[in-house]
Amino acid sequence: MREGSAPNFCPPTEEGIVFTFEDEEGEHIDLEFLGLILHEGKRYGFFFPVDEDNPACSSGEVVLLEVTELDEEDQPAAFELVEDEAIAAEVYEDFKKATADLYDFE
């Protein structure tokens, strides 16, 4: 299991965990879970889009989703795309710092 180097980072319990999300148009997209960042009292999930050409555990652009709902065990149950570019930039910087030993950021 991967471990982060920051207290505000929650890594996945195992590598290669893929979730299927449905967008506003009813289209399904598979996203590999890379971890959560806690930022100013909110939780943000980082995901990597996967398909036949980009399987889990590969690399590329990430998708940032804010956790909008928790289940009875305080686990993320619903997500929403982060549209505020300033917040997205702050959270991405936190993610890069927390995972510098895990991922190569160019």
Side-chain angles (χ1 to χ4, degrees):
M1 175 173 71
R2 294 182 173 194
E3 295 180 8
S5 58
N8 66 334
F9 178 64
C10 304
T13 55
E14 61 185 73
E15 287 187 49
I17 296 174
V18 175
F19 295 97
T20 300
F21 290 89
E22 185 175 321
D23 66 15
E24 300 84 26
E25 287 104 37
E27 298 290 323
H28 290 94
I29 182 170
D30 293 329
L31 300 174
E32 177 187 3
F33 177 60
L34 304 176
L36 282 177
I37 286 288
L38 306 175
H39 180 81
E40 295 184 0
K42 295 184 179 181
R43 299 172 190 194
Y44 297 91
F46 282 83
F47 298 86
F48 173 67
V50 296
D51 56 27
E52 289 180 14
D53 296 328
N54 300 292
C57 299
S58 53
S59 63
E61 289 189 32
V62 296
V63 174
L64 173 61
L65 301 175
E66 181 180 350
V67 177
T68 58
E69 186 179 317
L70 300 173
D71 65 15
E72 60 279 347
E73 296 175 359
D74 274 345
Q75 296 299 310
F79 296 87
E80 193 171 287
L81 189 62
V82 176
E83 295 187 19
D84 184 319
E85 290 184 25
I87 295 293
E90 288 177 22
V91 176
Y92 184 61
E93 285 302 314
D94 285 354
F95 180 73
K96 287 182 3 181
K97 288 176 189 170
T99 61
D101 56 336
L102 302 176
Y103 302 112
D104 182 28
F105 298 99
E106 297 176 6

PDB file of all heavy atoms in Angstrom, residues 46-84:
ATOM      1  N   PHE A  46      -8.610  12.636  -5.665  1.00  0.00           N
ATOM      2  CA  PHE A  46      -7.849  12.687  -6.908  1.00  0.00           C
ATOM      3  C   PHE A  46      -8.009  11.361  -7.627  1.00  0.00           C
ATOM      4  O   PHE A  46      -7.880  10.295  -7.019  1.00  0.00           O
ATOM      5  CB  PHE A  46      -6.370  12.983  -6.630  1.00  0.00           C
ATOM      6  CG  PHE A  46      -6.124  14.425  -6.341  1.00  0.00           C
ATOM      7  CD1 PHE A  46      -6.323  14.927  -5.071  1.00  0.00           C
ATOM      8  CD2 PHE A  46      -5.734  15.291  -7.339  1.00  0.00           C
ATOM      9  CE1 PHE A  46      -6.131  16.273  -4.795  1.00  0.00           C
ATOM     10  CE2 PHE A  46      -5.529  16.640  -7.075  1.00  0.00           C
ATOM     11  CZ  PHE A  46      -5.730  17.126  -5.802  1.00  0.00           C
ATOM     12  N   PHE A  47      -8.303  11.454  -8.916  1.00  0.00           N
ATOM     13  CA  PHE A  47      -8.589  10.280  -9.723  1.00  0.00           C
ATOM     14  C   PHE A  47      -7.870  10.380 -11.063  1.00  0.00           C
ATOM     15  O   PHE A  47      -7.582  11.465 -11.548  1.00  0.00           O
ATOM     16  CB  PHE A  47     -10.099  10.178  -9.989  1.00  0.00           C
ATOM     17  CG  PHE A  47     -10.920  10.009  -8.749  1.00  0.00           C
ATOM     18  CD1 PHE A  47     -11.342  11.113  -8.026  1.00  0.00           C
ATOM     19  CD2 PHE A  47     -11.265   8.748  -8.300  1.00  0.00           C
ATOM     20  CE1 PHE A  47     -12.103  10.967  -6.875  1.00  0.00           C
ATOM     21  CE2 PHE A  47     -12.022   8.588  -7.154  1.00  0.00           C
ATOM     22  CZ  PHE A  47     -12.445   9.696  -6.439  1.00  0.00           C
ATOM     23  N   PHE A  48      -7.621   9.214 -11.651  1.00  0.00           N
ATOM     24  CA  PHE A  48      -7.005   9.128 -12.973  1.00  0.00           C
ATOM     25  C   PHE A  48      -7.975   8.389 -13.894  1.00  0.00           C
ATOM     26  O   PHE A  48      -8.380   7.272 -13.596  1.00  0.00           O
ATOM     27  CB  PHE A  48      -5.676   8.371 -12.887  1.00  0.00           C
ATOM     28  CG  PHE A  48      -5.055   8.076 -14.211  1.00  0.00           C
ATOM     29  CD1 PHE A  48      -4.568   9.096 -15.012  1.00  0.00           C
ATOM     30  CD2 PHE A  48      -4.962   6.772 -14.674  1.00  0.00           C
ATOM     31  CE1 PHE A  48      -4.005   8.827 -16.242  1.00  0.00           C
ATOM     32  CE2 PHE A  48      -4.387   6.502 -15.910  1.00  0.00           C
ATOM     33  CZ  PHE A  48      -3.909   7.527 -16.690  1.00  0.00           C
ATOM     34  N   PRO A  49      -8.380   9.020 -15.016  1.00  0.00           N
ATOM     35  CA  PRO A  49      -9.284   8.342 -15.955  1.00  0.00           C
ATOM     36  C   PRO A  49      -8.605   7.115 -16.571  1.00  0.00           C
ATOM     37  O   PRO A  49      -7.473   7.202 -17.040  1.00  0.00           O
ATOM     38  CB  PRO A  49      -9.548   9.388 -17.036  1.00  0.00           C
ATOM     39  CG  PRO A  49      -9.142  10.690 -16.429  1.00  0.00           C
ATOM     40  CD  PRO A  49      -8.072  10.377 -15.429  1.00  0.00           C
ATOM     41  N   VAL A  50      -9.282   5.980 -16.526  1.00  0.00           N
ATOM     42  CA  VAL A  50      -8.723   4.755 -17.089  1.00  0.00           C
ATOM     43  C   VAL A  50      -9.611   4.238 -18.216  1.00  0.00           C
ATOM     44  O   VAL A  50     -10.826   4.402 -18.204  1.00  0.00           O
ATOM     45  CB  VAL A  50      -8.523   3.655 -16.017  1.00  0.00           C
ATOM     46  CG1 VAL A  50      -7.499   4.082 -14.983  1.00  0.00           C
ATOM     47  CG2 VAL A  50      -9.824   3.299 -15.324  1.00  0.00           C
ATOM     48  N   ASP A  51      -8.933   3.634 -19.194  1.00  0.00           N
ATOM     49  CA  ASP A  51      -9.609   2.981 -20.308  1.00  0.00           C
ATOM     50  C   ASP A  51      -8.622   1.970 -20.883  1.00  0.00           C
ATOM     51  O   ASP A  51      -7.581   1.708 -20.283  1.00  0.00           O
ATOM     52  CB  ASP A  51     -10.095   3.988 -21.352  1.00  0.00           C
ATOM     53  CG  ASP A  51      -8.995   4.876 -21.907  1.00  0.00           C
ATOM     54  OD1 ASP A  51      -7.809   4.462 -21.918  1.00  0.00           O
ATOM     55  OD2 ASP A  51      -9.298   5.995 -22.347  1.00  0.00           O
ATOM     56  N   GLU A  52      -8.938   1.413 -22.050  1.00  0.00           N
ATOM     57  CA  GLU A  52      -8.048   0.405 -22.639  1.00  0.00           C
ATOM     58  C   GLU A  52      -6.653   0.948 -22.922  1.00  0.00           C
ATOM     59  O   GLU A  52      -5.663   0.238 -22.771  1.00  0.00           O
ATOM     60  CB  GLU A  52      -8.664  -0.137 -23.930  1.00  0.00           C
ATOM     61  CG  GLU A  52      -9.870  -1.009 -23.696  1.00  0.00           C
ATOM     62  CD  GLU A  52     -10.454  -1.543 -24.995  1.00  0.00           C
ATOM     63  OE1 GLU A  52      -9.788  -1.456 -26.052  1.00  0.00           O
ATOM     64  OE2 GLU A  52     -11.588  -2.032 -24.941  1.00  0.00           O
ATOM     65  N   ASP A  53      -6.567   2.205 -23.336  1.00  0.00           N
ATOM     66  CA  ASP A  53      -5.264   2.805 -23.648  1.00  0.00           C
ATOM     67  C   ASP A  53      -4.526   3.319 -22.421  1.00  0.00           C
ATOM     68  O   ASP A  53      -3.315   3.511 -22.465  1.00  0.00           O
ATOM     69  CB  ASP A  53      -5.441   3.959 -24.643  1.00  0.00           C
ATOM     70  CG  ASP A  53      -5.980   3.484 -25.978  1.00  0.00           C
ATOM     71  OD1 ASP A  53      -5.663   2.345 -26.385  1.00  0.00           O
ATOM     72  OD2 ASP A  53      -6.725   4.253 -26.617  1.00  0.00           O
ATOM     73  N   ASN A  54      -5.248   3.592 -21.335  1.00  0.00           N
ATOM     74  CA  ASN A  54      -4.666   4.119 -20.101  1.00  0.00           C
ATOM     75  C   ASN A  54      -5.170   3.294 -18.928  1.00  0.00           C
ATOM     76  O   ASN A  54      -6.119   3.681 -18.246  1.00  0.00           O
ATOM     77  CB  ASN A  54      -5.070   5.586 -19.911  1.00  0.00           C
ATOM     78  CG  ASN A  54      -4.598   6.451 -21.050  1.00  0.00           C
ATOM     79  OD1 ASN A  54      -3.414   6.655 -21.221  1.00  0.00           O
ATOM     80  ND2 ASN A  54      -5.529   6.928 -21.850  1.00  0.00           N
ATOM     81  N   PRO A  55      -4.555   2.130 -18.671  1.00  0.00           N
ATOM     82  CA  PRO A  55      -5.032   1.267 -17.584  1.00  0.00           C
ATOM     83  C   PRO A  55      -4.689   1.839 -16.212  1.00  0.00           C
ATOM     84  O   PRO A  55      -3.897   2.783 -16.091  1.00  0.00           O
ATOM     85  CB  PRO A  55      -4.280  -0.036 -17.837  1.00  0.00           C
ATOM     86  CG  PRO A  55      -3.024   0.388 -18.523  1.00  0.00           C
ATOM     87  CD  PRO A  55      -3.411   1.581 -19.368  1.00  0.00           C
ATOM     88  N   ALA A  56      -5.299   1.275 -15.180  1.00  0.00           N
ATOM     89  CA  ALA A  56      -4.986   1.670 -13.807  1.00  0.00           C
ATOM     90  C   ALA A  56      -3.481   1.539 -13.581  1.00  0.00           C
ATOM     91  O   ALA A  56      -2.813   0.723 -14.202  1.00  0.00           O
ATOM     92  CB  ALA A  56      -5.756   0.798 -12.819  1.00  0.00           C
ATOM     93  N   CYS A  57      -2.966   2.378 -12.718  1.00  0.00           N
ATOM     94  CA  CYS A  57      -1.550   2.432 -12.351  1.00  0.00           C
ATOM     95  C   CYS A  57      -0.667   3.014 -13.453  1.00  0.00           C
ATOM     96  O   CYS A  57       0.544   2.900 -13.401  1.00  0.00           O
ATOM     97  CB  CYS A  57      -1.025   1.081 -11.901  1.00  0.00           C
ATOM     98  SG  CYS A  57      -1.867   0.436 -10.445  1.00  0.00           S
ATOM     99  N   SER A  58      -1.268   3.641 -14.483  1.00  0.00           N
ATOM    100  CA  SER A  58      -0.462   4.364 -15.457  1.00  0.00           C
ATOM    101  C   SER A  58      -0.483   5.836 -15.060  1.00  0.00           C
ATOM    102  O   SER A  58      -0.845   6.168 -13.935  1.00  0.00           O
ATOM    103  CB  SER A  58      -0.962   4.123 -16.887  1.00  0.00           C
ATOM    104  OG  SER A  58      -2.320   4.401 -17.026  1.00  0.00           O
ATOM    105  N   SER A  59      -0.091   6.731 -15.933  1.00  0.00           N
ATOM    106  CA  SER A  59      -0.015   8.129 -15.531  1.00  0.00           C
ATOM    107  C   SER A  59      -0.641   9.041 -16.579  1.00  0.00           C
ATOM    108  O   SER A  59      -0.841   8.649 -17.722  1.00  0.00           O
ATOM    109  CB  SER A  59       1.430   8.534 -15.281  1.00  0.00           C
ATOM    110  OG  SER A  59       2.173   8.426 -16.471  1.00  0.00           O
ATOM    111  N   GLY A  60      -0.929  10.264 -16.161  1.00  0.00           N
ATOM    112  CA  GLY A  60      -1.527  11.256 -17.038  1.00  0.00           C
ATOM    113  C   GLY A  60      -2.212  12.315 -16.210  1.00  0.00           C
ATOM    114  O   GLY A  60      -1.949  12.452 -15.016  1.00  0.00           O
ATOM    115  N   GLU A  61      -3.090  13.067 -16.842  1.00  0.00           N
ATOM    116  CA  GLU A  61      -3.813  14.126 -16.135  1.00  0.00           C
ATOM    117  C   GLU A  61      -4.765  13.510 -15.114  1.00  0.00           C
ATOM    118  O   GLU A  61      -5.310  12.437 -15.329  1.00  0.00           O
ATOM    119  CB  GLU A  61      -4.598  14.979 -17.117  1.00  0.00           C
ATOM    120  CG  GLU A  61      -3.716  15.852 -17.973  1.00  0.00           C
ATOM    121  CD  GLU A  61      -4.508  16.839 -18.796  1.00  0.00           C
ATOM    122  OE1 GLU A  61      -5.573  17.290 -18.336  1.00  0.00           O
ATOM    123  OE2 GLU A  61      -4.056  17.150 -19.898  1.00  0.00           O
ATOM    124  N   VAL A  62      -4.949  14.234 -14.003  1.00  0.00           N
ATOM    125  CA  VAL A  62      -5.845  13.751 -12.954  1.00  0.00           C
ATOM    126  C   VAL A  62      -7.132  14.566 -12.939  1.00  0.00           C
ATOM    127  O   VAL A  62      -7.198  15.667 -13.457  1.00  0.00           O
ATOM    128  CB  VAL A  62      -5.175  13.805 -11.562  1.00  0.00           C
ATOM    129  CG1 VAL A  62      -3.986  12.869 -11.497  1.00  0.00           C
ATOM    130  CG2 VAL A  62      -4.790  15.210 -11.180  1.00  0.00           C
ATOM    131  N   VAL A  63      -8.150  13.973 -12.330  1.00  0.00           N
ATOM    132  CA  VAL A  63      -9.444  14.611 -12.145  1.00  0.00           C
ATOM    133  C   VAL A  63      -9.593  14.882 -10.658  1.00  0.00           C
ATOM    134  O   VAL A  63      -9.342  14.009  -9.827  1.00  0.00           O
ATOM    135  CB  VAL A  63     -10.590  13.692 -12.636  1.00  0.00           C
ATOM    136  CG1 VAL A  63     -11.942  14.293 -12.321  1.00  0.00           C
ATOM    137  CG2 VAL A  63     -10.438  13.407 -14.118  1.00  0.00           C
ATOM    138  N   LEU A  64     -10.003  16.101 -10.317  1.00  0.00           N
ATOM    139  CA  LEU A  64     -10.194  16.501  -8.929  1.00  0.00           C
ATOM    140  C   LEU A  64     -11.689  16.601  -8.641  1.00  0.00           C
ATOM    141  O   LEU A  64     -12.400  17.345  -9.306  1.00  0.00           O
ATOM    142  CB  LEU A  64      -9.515  17.850  -8.668  1.00  0.00           C
ATOM    143  CG  LEU A  64      -9.755  18.498  -7.312  1.00  0.00           C
ATOM    144  CD1 LEU A  64      -9.261  17.614  -6.178  1.00  0.00           C
ATOM    145  CD2 LEU A  64      -9.092  19.855  -7.259  1.00  0.00           C
ATOM    146  N   LEU A  65     -12.146  15.838  -7.639  1.00  0.00           N
ATOM    147  CA  LEU A  65     -13.552  15.854  -7.251  1.00  0.00           C
ATOM    148  C   LEU A  65     -13.663  16.160  -5.766  1.00  0.00           C
ATOM    149  O   LEU A  65     -12.911  15.624  -4.960  1.00  0.00           O
ATOM    150  CB  LEU A  65     -14.204  14.493  -7.533  1.00  0.00           C
ATOM    151  CG  LEU A  65     -14.176  13.990  -8.975  1.00  0.00           C
ATOM    152  CD1 LEU A  65     -14.757  12.587  -9.046  1.00  0.00           C
ATOM    153  CD2 LEU A  65     -14.924  14.929  -9.897  1.00  0.00           C
ATOM    154  N   GLU A  66     -14.614  17.027  -5.405  1.00  0.00           N
ATOM    155  CA  GLU A  66     -14.863  17.328  -3.995  1.00  0.00           C
ATOM    156  C   GLU A  66     -15.855  16.312  -3.434  1.00  0.00           C
ATOM    157  O   GLU A  66     -16.847  15.974  -4.076  1.00  0.00           O
ATOM    158  CB  GLU A  66     -15.451  18.729  -3.838  1.00  0.00           C
ATOM    159  CG  GLU A  66     -15.713  19.090  -2.387  1.00  0.00           C
ATOM    160  CD  GLU A  66     -16.293  20.471  -2.204  1.00  0.00           C
ATOM    161  OE1 GLU A  66     -16.334  21.253  -3.180  1.00  0.00           O
ATOM    162  OE2 GLU A  66     -16.711  20.777  -1.075  1.00  0.00           O
ATOM    163  N   VAL A  67     -15.568  15.827  -2.241  1.00  0.00           N
ATOM    164  CA  VAL A  67     -16.492  14.928  -1.552  1.00  0.00           C
ATOM    165  C   VAL A  67     -17.660  15.769  -1.058  1.00  0.00           C
ATOM    166  O   VAL A  67     -17.467  16.735  -0.321  1.00  0.00           O
ATOM    167  CB  VAL A  67     -15.806  14.205  -0.372  1.00  0.00           C
ATOM    168  CG1 VAL A  67     -16.808  13.342   0.377  1.00  0.00           C
ATOM    169  CG2 VAL A  67     -14.625  13.382  -0.855  1.00  0.00           C
ATOM    170  N   THR A  68     -18.870  15.425  -1.483  1.00  0.00           N
ATOM    171  CA  THR A  68     -20.049  16.203  -1.102  1.00  0.00           C
ATOM    172  C   THR A  68     -20.957  15.468  -0.140  1.00  0.00           C
ATOM    173  O   THR A  68     -21.895  16.066   0.400  1.00  0.00           O
ATOM    174  CB  THR A  68     -20.865  16.606  -2.352  1.00  0.00           C
ATOM    175  OG1 THR A  68     -21.234  15.422  -3.061  1.00  0.00           O
ATOM    176  CG2 THR A  68     -20.060  17.532  -3.252  1.00  0.00           C
ATOM    177  N   GLU A  69     -20.690  14.178   0.075  1.00  0.00           N
ATOM    178  CA  GLU A  69     -21.532  13.389   0.972  1.00  0.00           C
ATOM    179  C   GLU A  69     -20.720  12.229   1.529  1.00  0.00           C
ATOM    180  O   GLU A  69     -19.898  11.638   0.828  1.00  0.00           O
ATOM    181  CB  GLU A  69     -22.724  12.850   0.171  1.00  0.00           C
ATOM    182  CG  GLU A  69     -23.770  12.138   0.974  1.00  0.00           C
ATOM    183  CD  GLU A  69     -24.912  11.673   0.078  1.00  0.00           C
ATOM    184  OE1 GLU A  69     -25.346  12.446  -0.807  1.00  0.00           O
ATOM    185  OE2 GLU A  69     -25.359  10.534   0.271  1.00  0.00           O
ATOM    186  N   LEU A  70     -20.939  11.917   2.813  1.00  0.00           N
ATOM    187  CA  LEU A  70     -20.277  10.793   3.464  1.00  0.00           C
ATOM    188  C   LEU A  70     -21.323   9.740   3.826  1.00  0.00           C
ATOM    189  O   LEU A  70     -22.475  10.076   4.103  1.00  0.00           O
ATOM    190  CB  LEU A  70     -19.555  11.247   4.734  1.00  0.00           C
ATOM    191  CG  LEU A  70     -18.463  12.298   4.551  1.00  0.00           C
ATOM    192  CD1 LEU A  70     -17.950  12.766   5.901  1.00  0.00           C
ATOM    193  CD2 LEU A  70     -17.325  11.760   3.709  1.00  0.00           C
ATOM    194  N   ASP A  71     -20.902   8.472   3.846  1.00  0.00           N
ATOM    195  CA  ASP A  71     -21.826   7.419   4.263  1.00  0.00           C
ATOM    196  C   ASP A  71     -21.804   7.290   5.785  1.00  0.00           C
ATOM    197  O   ASP A  71     -21.158   8.086   6.481  1.00  0.00           O
ATOM    198  CB  ASP A  71     -21.517   6.099   3.555  1.00  0.00           C
ATOM    199  CG  ASP A  71     -20.162   5.501   3.933  1.00  0.00           C
ATOM    200  OD1 ASP A  71     -19.545   5.918   4.946  1.00  0.00           O
ATOM    201  OD2 ASP A  71     -19.707   4.592   3.208  1.00  0.00           O
ATOM    202  N   GLU A  72     -22.478   6.270   6.298  1.00  0.00           N
ATOM    203  CA  GLU A  72     -22.579   6.086   7.750  1.00  0.00           C
ATOM    204  C   GLU A  72     -21.246   5.764   8.417  1.00  0.00           C
ATOM    205  O   GLU A  72     -21.087   5.904   9.615  1.00  0.00           O
ATOM    206  CB  GLU A  72     -23.616   5.003   8.088  1.00  0.00           C
ATOM    207  CG  GLU A  72     -23.326   3.626   7.527  1.00  0.00           C
ATOM    208  CD  GLU A  72     -23.724   3.447   6.066  1.00  0.00           C
ATOM    209  OE1 GLU A  72     -24.446   4.283   5.506  1.00  0.00           O
ATOM    210  OE2 GLU A  72     -23.275   2.455   5.468  1.00  0.00           O
ATOM    211  N   GLU A  73     -20.245   5.363   7.626  1.00  0.00           N
ATOM    212  CA  GLU A  73     -18.912   5.069   8.152  1.00  0.00           C
ATOM    213  C   GLU A  73     -17.924   6.199   7.869  1.00  0.00           C
ATOM    214  O   GLU A  73     -16.714   6.012   7.933  1.00  0.00           O
ATOM    215  CB  GLU A  73     -18.407   3.757   7.560  1.00  0.00           C
ATOM    216  CG  GLU A  73     -19.261   2.566   7.969  1.00  0.00           C
ATOM    217  CD  GLU A  73     -18.822   1.281   7.292  1.00  0.00           C
ATOM    218  OE1 GLU A  73     -17.861   1.307   6.482  1.00  0.00           O
ATOM    219  OE2 GLU A  73     -19.453   0.248   7.558  1.00  0.00           O
ATOM    220  N   ASP A  74     -18.453   7.386   7.527  1.00  0.00           N
ATOM    221  CA  ASP A  74     -17.639   8.559   7.198  1.00  0.00           C
ATOM    222  C   ASP A  74     -16.746   8.354   5.978  1.00  0.00           C
ATOM    223  O   ASP A  74     -15.692   8.973   5.856  1.00  0.00           O
ATOM    224  CB  ASP A  74     -16.792   9.015   8.394  1.00  0.00           C
ATOM    225  CG  ASP A  74     -17.544   9.944   9.311  1.00  0.00           C
ATOM    226  OD1 ASP A  74     -18.599  10.471   8.900  1.00  0.00           O
ATOM    227  OD2 ASP A  74     -17.078  10.160  10.444  1.00  0.00           O
ATOM    228  N   GLN A  75     -17.173   7.497   5.062  1.00  0.00           N
ATOM    229  CA  GLN A  75     -16.449   7.284   3.814  1.00  0.00           C
ATOM    230  C   GLN A  75     -17.138   8.091   2.712  1.00  0.00           C
ATOM    231  O   GLN A  75     -18.356   8.273   2.733  1.00  0.00           O
ATOM    232  CB  GLN A  75     -16.433   5.798   3.447  1.00  0.00           C
ATOM    233  CG  GLN A  75     -15.690   4.941   4.443  1.00  0.00           C
ATOM    234  CD  GLN A  75     -14.234   5.347   4.564  1.00  0.00           C
ATOM    235  OE1 GLN A  75     -13.524   5.494   3.574  1.00  0.00           O
ATOM    236  NE2 GLN A  75     -13.779   5.554   5.783  1.00  0.00           N
ATOM    237  N   PRO A  76     -16.389   8.588   1.723  1.00  0.00           N
ATOM    238  CA  PRO A  76     -16.996   9.355   0.637  1.00  0.00           C
ATOM    239  C   PRO A  76     -18.095   8.560  -0.073  1.00  0.00           C
ATOM    240  O   PRO A  76     -17.905   7.399  -0.408  1.00  0.00           O
ATOM    241  CB  PRO A  76     -15.826   9.622  -0.303  1.00  0.00           C
ATOM    242  CG  PRO A  76     -14.624   9.566   0.580  1.00  0.00           C
ATOM    243  CD  PRO A  76     -14.932   8.504   1.595  1.00  0.00           C
ATOM    244  N   ALA A  77     -19.238   9.208  -0.268  1.00  0.00           N
ATOM    245  CA  ALA A  77     -20.370   8.560  -0.924  1.00  0.00           C
ATOM    246  C   ALA A  77     -20.818   9.319  -2.171  1.00  0.00           C
ATOM    247  O   ALA A  77     -21.494   8.755  -3.022  1.00  0.00           O
ATOM    248  CB  ALA A  77     -21.532   8.421   0.049  1.00  0.00           C
ATOM    249  N   ALA A  78     -20.456  10.587  -2.275  1.00  0.00           N
ATOM    250  CA  ALA A  78     -20.831  11.387  -3.444  1.00  0.00           C
ATOM    251  C   ALA A  78     -19.737  12.416  -3.702  1.00  0.00           C
ATOM    252  O   ALA A  78     -19.101  12.915  -2.768  1.00  0.00           O
ATOM    253  CB  ALA A  78     -22.171  12.077  -3.219  1.00  0.00           C
ATOM    254  N   PHE A  79     -19.540  12.712  -4.977  1.00  0.00           N
ATOM    255  CA  PHE A  79     -18.495  13.639  -5.401  1.00  0.00           C
ATOM    256  C   PHE A  79     -19.059  14.647  -6.384  1.00  0.00           C
ATOM    257  O   PHE A  79     -20.050  14.390  -7.056  1.00  0.00           O
ATOM    258  CB  PHE A  79     -17.353  12.884  -6.101  1.00  0.00           C
ATOM    259  CG  PHE A  79     -16.611  11.924  -5.240  1.00  0.00           C
ATOM    260  CD1 PHE A  79     -17.051  10.620  -5.081  1.00  0.00           C
ATOM    261  CD2 PHE A  79     -15.456  12.308  -4.605  1.00  0.00           C
ATOM    262  CE1 PHE A  79     -16.354   9.717  -4.306  1.00  0.00           C
ATOM    263  CE2 PHE A  79     -14.742  11.426  -3.818  1.00  0.00           C
ATOM    264  CZ  PHE A  79     -15.193  10.114  -3.670  1.00  0.00           C
ATOM    265  N   GLU A  80     -18.355  15.773  -6.494  1.00  0.00           N
ATOM    266  CA  GLU A  80     -18.725  16.807  -7.455  1.00  0.00           C
ATOM    267  C   GLU A  80     -17.448  17.390  -8.035  1.00  0.00           C
ATOM    268  O   GLU A  80     -16.458  17.593  -7.324  1.00  0.00           O
ATOM    269  CB  GLU A  80     -19.517  17.895  -6.729  1.00  0.00           C
ATOM    270  CG  GLU A  80     -20.229  18.859  -7.622  1.00  0.00           C
ATOM    271  CD  GLU A  80     -21.142  19.757  -6.808  1.00  0.00           C
ATOM    272  OE1 GLU A  80     -22.188  19.273  -6.346  1.00  0.00           O
ATOM    273  OE2 GLU A  80     -20.783  20.946  -6.631  1.00  0.00           O
ATOM    274  N   LEU A  81     -17.456  17.684  -9.323  1.00  0.00           N
ATOM    275  CA  LEU A  81     -16.296  18.266  -9.982  1.00  0.00           C
ATOM    276  C   LEU A  81     -15.983  19.628  -9.373  1.00  0.00           C
ATOM    277  O   LEU A  81     -16.888  20.432  -9.147  1.00  0.00           O
ATOM    278  CB  LEU A  81     -16.576  18.411 -11.477  1.00  0.00           C
ATOM    279  CG  LEU A  81     -15.407  18.803 -12.363  1.00  0.00           C
ATOM    280  CD1 LEU A  81     -14.314  17.745 -12.321  1.00  0.00           C
ATOM    281  CD2 LEU A  81     -15.878  19.002 -13.794  1.00  0.00           C
ATOM    282  N   VAL A  82     -14.702  19.899  -9.111  1.00  0.00           N
ATOM    283  CA  VAL A  82     -14.277  21.182  -8.562  1.00  0.00           C
ATOM    284  C   VAL A  82     -14.138  22.158  -9.726  1.00  0.00           C
ATOM    285  O   VAL A  82     -13.308  21.968 -10.607  1.00  0.00           O
ATOM    286  CB  VAL A  82     -12.943  21.054  -7.804  1.00  0.00           C
ATOM    287  CG1 VAL A  82     -12.467  22.407  -7.315  1.00  0.00           C
ATOM    288  CG2 VAL A  82     -13.085  20.078  -6.645  1.00  0.00           C
ATOM    289  N   GLU A  83     -14.971  23.186  -9.719  1.00  0.00           N
ATOM    290  CA  GLU A  83     -14.955  24.149 -10.816  1.00  0.00           C
ATOM    291  C   GLU A  83     -14.196  25.427 -10.488  1.00  0.00           C
ATOM    292  O   GLU A  83     -13.803  26.157 -11.384  1.00  0.00           O
ATOM    293  CB  GLU A  83     -16.385  24.454 -11.250  1.00  0.00           C
ATOM    294  CG  GLU A  83     -17.061  23.227 -11.832  1.00  0.00           C
ATOM    295  CD  GLU A  83     -18.418  23.520 -12.432  1.00  0.00           C
ATOM    296  OE1 GLU A  83     -18.715  24.689 -12.726  1.00  0.00           O
ATOM    297  OE2 GLU A  83     -19.176  22.551 -12.614  1.00  0.00           O
ATOM    298  N   ASP A  84     -13.982  25.711  -9.205  1.00  0.00           N
ATOM    299  CA  ASP A  84     -13.238  26.900  -8.788  1.00  0.00           C
ATOM    300  C   ASP A  84     -11.749  26.647  -9.036  1.00  0.00           C
ATOM    301  O   ASP A  84     -11.123  25.836  -8.341  1.00  0.00           O
ATOM    302  CB  ASP A  84     -13.511  27.192  -7.313  1.00  0.00           C
ATOM    303  CG  ASP A  84     -12.852  28.467  -6.822  1.00  0.00           C
ATOM    304  OD1 ASP A  84     -11.690  28.743  -7.191  1.00  0.00           O
ATOM    305  OD2 ASP A  84     -13.503  29.185  -6.044  1.00  0.00           O
TER     306      ASP A  84
END
